[in-house]
Amino acid sequence: MTRANYPARREAERTYQHRVDVPVPGEGFGVRLTEMHNWCHENLAAGTWEEHAHSDERRDERGIKINFARFYFRDGADAEAFRREWLPDGP
């Protein structure tokens, strides 16, 4: 897979300065991804955030490639509020 196949994600990388990566658990997100989207819709202005599936070369402790949802934000305070809500024990 090349990044060229994802023009919307490339545009988000250029447009939004603040990013929060949420690792996908082994069992998947279930309804949690929908809840994260709902939180963004309810707490942030339209057009100030996006989310795209992502992966890179990071691997977990067993060497398995990590997939994650990357949330993009225009405002650092929005990114931090999202991080506190959805990754309270994370990075």
Side-chain angles (χ1 to χ4, degrees), residues 31-44:
V31 299
R32 188 167 180 240
L33 185 61
T34 300
E35 291 169 348
M36 286 186 266
H37 285 170
N38 289 343
W39 184 92
C40 288
H41 286 293
E42 293 167 4
N43 292 281
L44 307 174

Side-chain angles (χ1 to χ4, degrees), residues 20 22 32 39 73 76-91:
V20 177
V22 182
R32 188 167 180 240
W39 184 92
F73 302 92
D78 290 347
E80 189 54 37
F82 179 87
R83 185 184 324 276
R84 280 192 313 272
E85 182 71 23
W86 297 103
L87 295 171
D89 299 324

Side-chain angles (χ1 to χ4, degrees), residues 3-82:
R3 299 185 81 194
N5 293 332
Y6 303 101
R9 188 170 71 194
R10 279 196 333 268
E11 182 61 26
E13 293 282 340
R14 283 193 296 270
T15 303
Y16 298 94
Q17 183 177 15
H18 307 280
R19 300 173 182 112
V20 177
D21 292 343
V22 182
V24 177
E27 65 280 0
F29 278 123
V31 299
R32 188 167 180 240
L33 185 61
T34 300
E35 291 169 348
M36 286 186 266
H37 285 170
N38 289 343
W39 184 92
C40 288
H41 286 293
E42 293 167 4
N43 292 281
L44 307 174
T48 64
W49 68 278
E50 287 187 32
E51 179 271 328
H52 296 276
H54 224 290
S55 73
D56 59 21
E57 297 309 311
R58 289 182 273 184
R59 298 188 179 272
D60 69 10
E61 64 280 352
R62 297 174 312 223
I64 298 171
K65 195 170 185 176
I66 298 171
N67 293 312
F68 51 95
R70 175 169 284 170
F71 284 78
Y72 299 87
F73 302 92
R74 289 195 194 279
D75 183 75
D78 290 347
E80 189 54 37
F82 179 87

